Amino acid sequence: MTKTCYYEMLGIVRTSSGDEIKKAFRKLAMQFHPDRNPGDQAAEVKFKEINEAYDVLKDGDKRAAYDRFGHAAFENGGGGGRGGGGFGFSEGSFSDIFDDLFGDFMGGGGGRKRGGDRSIRGSDLRYDMDITLEDAHNGRSSTITIPTSASCEDCHGSGAAAGSEPKTCGMCNGHGKVRSQQGFFMVERTCPTCHGNGQVISNPCKSCNGHGRVRKEKTLQVKIPAGVDDGTRIRLSGEGEAGGRGGPNGDLYIFLSVKPHRLFKRDGPHIYCRVPITMVAATLGGEVEIPTIDGGRSKVSIPAGSQTGRQFRIKGKGMAVLNSAQRGDMVVETMVETPVNLTKKQKELLRAFADEGGEETSPECKSFFGRVREFWEDLTEKG
C-alpha cells in the first residue's frame, strides 16, 4: 500500500519553511484531535498520520533523509516515526511536538531552560520616601537602608557547599517539570524531586541552607534630581532582591511623596502663596516681603485699593522643572485682614471715617447693597 506523502498530509510543499510546517501542523492537529472528534476512527487515524509527518519534517536531518529516500528512509528501524509499520513516537519526540503545539499557552517552547540552566531573576523591591518641597525643588542625596536578600558569599549563590555543585535533576533532566501521557493528552506537573528547579543539591551550603541567598540590610546612596513631583518613581537597576542560581538581581523602585508645605502650595511648576495684608496697606498701598522656595526673598508692591484675592506673579521664582534649566512662577495672592482688638481711640477714628462717608469709598460693598435695594423694590412693586 502506497503511503501518502508527508508534505501532502500537511498540505504544504517541499520548499515550505519551518514556520509554515508548524502552522500547518497546528491547524490540522486542532481539526483532527480526538477530543474534538469523539468516536471518529478516521479522525484518530488522520491525527496519528499528521503527527508522524510533523515529527519527520520538523527535524532537519529527518527531513533531508525523507527528501532523498522518501518513506524508505525510516523503514526497517531507519529511525522514523514508524517502526515495522506501526505508529509510534519516542517520549522525547512526542514531548517536542507537545511543546510545538501547546508551548505558547503553557510556558513551553523556546523559553524552557534545560540541563540545569534555570537561573531566576530576583524580585523587584519598593521603597517609599518622604521629602520636603525644598528637596523637590533643589534635589538632594539621601542614604537609605533596605532589608533585602543577597547572593550567599560562601557558595557564590549556587546553594551548594564548597567543593560541590548542583547537579541536573535525573527525574526531569533539568526541565523542572515531568510529563506523563494519558491517552492523547500529555499531563505536565512540577518535578517532585527538584521542585521545579531543574537541579538537586546533595550537599547544601550551611550559610544559606541551599537557597543561594541570605537576608541582609543594604545601604544605598540615592540621588534625587531637582524638579521631582509627588509620586515620582526612581529606578535603581540591579539593587533589588538577588537572583537565584546565578540569575540577575531585581530592581529597586523608590516612590517619592512630597510633604505639604507650611507656606506654599504647588501646582505643577508653579507655586502659590497666600499673603495677609493689613486694611491700611490694602487701602493706601504698600510693600510686602515674602520668602521664595530657593531660600531667597522677593518684594511685592501692593497698589492702593487692593482687594482680597488679587494675584501678583513673580516670574522664575517657582519650582525647578525636572531635567530642565527652566523654573516655574510664584503667584502671590493677597488676603485683606480685618483688624481685631481695637482700642477705644481706634474705634472712634473708624466711626469718624464712616461719618465722613467712608462707606462710599468701598465700591464693591456699594455695588452689592445697591443690587439688594433694587431686589427689594422689585418685590414691593410685584406685591
Side-chain angles (χ1 to χ4, degrees):
M1 180 177 179
T2 304
K3 292 183 60 176
T4 304
C5 172
Y6 286 154
Y7 290 101
E8 292 179 8
M9 285 184 188
L10 298 182
I12 55 177
V13 296
R14 290 184 177 270
T15 57
S16 296
S17 66
D19 288 339
E20 291 171 335
I21 294 173
K22 179 186 289 187
K23 183 177 180 181
F25 167 68
R26 284 186 173 185
K27 181 179 179 180
L28 293 172
M30 290 296 185
Q31 179 182 349
F32 294 104
H33 196 284
D35 281 352
R36 292 194 173 186
N37 305 274
D40 188 339
Q41 296 296 322
E44 182 177 342
V45 171
K46 184 67 174 179
F47 184 73
K48 292 179 180 181
E49 288 178 343
I50 61 176
N51 273 280
E52 176 184 343
Y54 181 64
D55 183 53
V56 171
L57 298 184
K58 75 182 181 67
D59 184 281
D61 293 336
K62 290 182 181 180
R63 183 179 180 182
Y66 179 74
D67 289 344
R68 185 175 182 183
F69 302 107
H71 294 290
F74 308 105
E75 293 176 354
N76 300 322
R82 287 185 182 270
F87 175 79
F89 291 103
S90 67
E91 181 179 352
S93 65
F94 196 88
S95 296
D96 291 340
I97 291 176
F98 184 83
D99 273 344
D100 289 335
L101 183 57
F102 301 107
D104 292 342
F105 304 100
M106 299 186 64
R112 188 179 306 282
K113 295 187 179 291
R114 301 170 181 258
D117 182 18
R118 297 183 61 83
S119 60
I120 301 174
R121 182 182 182 276
S123 300
D124 294 333
L125 295 178
R126 171 173 177 154
Y127 185 91
D128 295 323
M129 178 185 293
D130 292 332
I131 62 173
T132 65
L133 190 62
E134 289 86 350
D135 293 334
H137 170 71
N138 300 318
R140 59 174 276 195
S141 292
S142 180
T143 300
I144 63 173
T145 300
I146 57 171
T148 183
S149 66
S151 180
C152 177
E153 296 180 356
D154 292 343
C155 66
H156 306 290
S158 70
S164 64
E165 60 182 19
K167 296 182 179 179
T168 300
C169 176
M171 174 67 74
C172 63
N173 293 322
H175 290 279
K177 297 179 181 295
V178 292
R179 292 167 175 170
S180 59
Q181 187 174 349
Q182 298 179 1
F184 288 101
F185 286 98
M186 184 69 72
V187 179
E188 184 177 77
R189 59 191 176 89
T190 301
C191 176
T193 301
C194 66
H195 306 290
N197 294 327
Q199 297 177 327
V200 291
I201 300 174
S202 57
N203 187 16
C205 171
K206 295 182 179 179
S207 298
C208 63
N209 294 320
H211 297 293
R213 292 176 286 185
V214 294
R215 300 299 298 178
K216 64 181 297 184
E217 288 192 338
K218 181 163 55 175
T219 300
L220 298 170
Q221 195 75 15
V222 181
K223 173 75 173 176
I224 301 173
V228 296
D229 205 344
D230 190 72
T232 296
R233 185 182 70 173
I234 299 176
R235 173 175 172 262
L236 299 183
S237 179
E239 296 296 350
E241 296 273 3
R245 292 183 289 280
N249 291 355
D251 299 330
L252 171 64
Y253 291 90
I254 299 176
F255 287 77
L256 301 180
S257 177
V258 181
K259 295 184 289 188
H261 197 275
R262 68 185 75 181
L263 294 178
F264 307 124
K265 184 176 181 180
R266 179 181 184 177
D267 184 9
H270 306 307
I271 287 179
Y272 290 79
C273 180
R274 296 191 69 190
V275 178
I277 58 175
T278 65
M279 185 180 66
V280 175
T283 304
L284 304 179
E287 192 174 68
V288 61
E289 186 178 67
I290 57 174
T292 54
I293 189 63
D294 58 7
R297 299 181 182 184
S298 288
K299 292 183 178 181
V300 178
S301 295
I302 308 298
S306 294
Q307 305 295 321
T308 292
R310 183 165 183 175
Q311 293 184 343
F312 305 88
R313 184 176 292 268
I314 307 175
K315 292 287 187 180
K317 289 298 182 180
M319 292 293 295
V321 178
L322 186 64
N323 299 324
S324 172
Q326 297 180 348
R327 285 187 60 177
D329 301 332
M330 182 174 183
V331 179
V332 177
E333 182 179 326
T334 59
M335 180 179 60
V336 181
E337 189 175 25
T338 303
V340 295
N341 300 323
L342 299 177
T343 64
K344 182 178 180 181
K345 185 174 182 179
Q346 288 171 330
K347 293 178 181 179
E348 291 175 353
L349 290 173
L350 285 177
R351 291 192 184 101
F353 170 74
D355 292 341
E356 290 292 328
E359 293 181 358
E360 298 296 324
T361 62
S362 301
E364 194 67 34
C365 183
K366 181 179 179 181
S367 175
F368 172 77
F369 286 108
R371 293 194 296 272
V372 170
R373 282 194 296 270
E374 292 175 357
F375 174 71
W376 283 339
E377 289 173 358
D378 290 342
L379 290 179
T380 303
E381 291 177 358
K382 291 178 180 178

